[in-house]
C-alpha cells in the first residue's frame, strides 16, 4: 500500500487564527516634546566638558493637571553599562502639579562623567514610579570631552578627599 506524504496543509484546511484586536493605548497625560543639552548659561551645546556644568533640559506637555510626576534621567555607556540613574523623587525635588507646556532642568555641576560617549534615557512617571507616561530608553547621545586638566580614569570621577594620618608611636 502506498503512503502519501502531505508536504503542506492546504490553506483551506489550516486552523483559523482568531483575530486579536487590542484596545488603542490611551493618550498619556504627559508627553515629552524635546530634550536639550546646554551650558550653564542655557546655550545648546554639541558636547559637554568634564568638570564643567551640564544642563539637561526636558520639555514636556501635560494635557491635564498631573500631580507630582517623577522626571528621571539614566546614563548608559555605549557598551551598555548603566552608569547612573536619578530622578526628582530621589533628589527630593517637589515637582508639584504640572499642566500645559514646561521644562524641567537637571544640572550636573560639575559634570563627573569622564570623556566618552554616553546614551541618555528619559522617563516621566506617576508619583509611585509604577506607570510610565514617557519611557525614552537610550534615545539621546551625549558626548563628553576632556577639559585639558588631568582627570580620573574610568567612567566617572568620584569626588574624594584625601588625608594622611601618621602614627607617631611607630617612630619610637
Amino acid at each position: 500500500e502506498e503512503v502519501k506524504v502531505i508536504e503542506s496543509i492546504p490553506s483551506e484546511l489550516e486552523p483559523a487564527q482568531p483575530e486579536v484586536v487590542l484596545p488603542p493605548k490611551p493618550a498619556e497625560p504627559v508627553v515629552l516634546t524635546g530634550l536639550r543639552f546646554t551650558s550653564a548659561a542655557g546655550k545648546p551645546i554639541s558636547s559637554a566638558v568634564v568638570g564643567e556644568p551640564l544642563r539637561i533640559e526636558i520639555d514636556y506637555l501635560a494635557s491635564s493637571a498631573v500631580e507630582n510626576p517623577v522626571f528621571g534621567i539614566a546614563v548608559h555607556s555605549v557598551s551598555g553599562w548603566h552608569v547612573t540613574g536619578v530622578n526628582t523623587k530621589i533628589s527630593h525635588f517637589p515637582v508639584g502639579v504640572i499642566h500645559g507646556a514646561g521644562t524641567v532642568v537637571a544640572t550636573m555641576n560639575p559634570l563627573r562623567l569622564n570623556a566618552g560617549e554616553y546614551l541618555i534615557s528619559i522617563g516621566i512617571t506617576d508619583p509611585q514610579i509604577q506607570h510610565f507616561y514617557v519611557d525614552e530608553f537610550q534615545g539621546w547621545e551625549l558626548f563628553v570631552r576632556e577639559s585639558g586638566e588631568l582627570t580620573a580614569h574610568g567612567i566617572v570621577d568620584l569626588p574624594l578627599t584625601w588625608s594622611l594620618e601618621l602614627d607617631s608611636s611607630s617612630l619610637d
Side-chain angles (χ1 to χ4, degrees):
E1 185 175 316
E2 186 178 323
V3 175
K4 290 185 178 181
V5 176
I6 300 175
E7 305 244 346
S8 65
I9 300 172
S11 62
E12 64 270 3
L13 298 178
E14 289 179 4
Q17 296 295 321
E19 185 176 335
V20 177
V21 178
L22 298 174
K25 184 178 177 183
E28 296 294 351
V30 182
V31 295
L32 183 68
T33 58
L35 182 125
R36 288 174 306 287
F37 302 116
T38 65
S39 66
K43 295 183 180 185
I45 57 174
S46 59
S47 62
V49 178
V50 175
E52 292 186 7
L54 169 66
R55 290 169 38 111
I56 301 175
E57 300 181 4
I58 305 165
D59 298 329
Y60 67 85
L61 178 63
S63 59
S64 60
V66 178
E67 191 170 339
N68 296 316
V70 177
F71 288 77
I73 298 171
V75 179
H76 287 82
S77 68
V78 291
S79 58
W81 289 97
H82 185 200
V83 178
T84 189
V86 69
N87 62 45
T88 52
K89 189 170 189 171
I90 291 170
S91 300
H92 304 287
F93 177 75
V95 174
V97 177
I98 61 171
H99 192 190
T103 302
V104 171
V105 179
T107 302
M108 295 182 210
N109 188 11
L111 176 60
R112 296 282 185 198
L113 295 172
N114 283 330
E117 183 179 348
Y118 300 91
L119 301 172
I120 306 299
S121 303
I122 300 296
I124 306 173
T125 72
D126 66 0
Q128 293 77 32
I129 313 178
Q130 293 181 348
H131 176 77
F132 277 83
Y133 305 130
V134 172
D135 187 9
E136 295 288 335
F137 184 69
Q138 299 182 359
W140 292 269
E141 290 182 314
L142 172 64
F143 298 97
V144 178
R145 57 188 166 85
E146 295 286 345
S147 65
E149 298 285 324
L150 182 62
T151 59
H153 301 282
I155 296 174
V156 296
D157 180 8
L158 297 176
L160 299 176
T161 302
W162 295 85
S163 64
L164 176 61
E165 298 175 0
L166 300 175
D167 182 0
S168 61
S169 67
S170 67
L171 298 176
D172 297 331

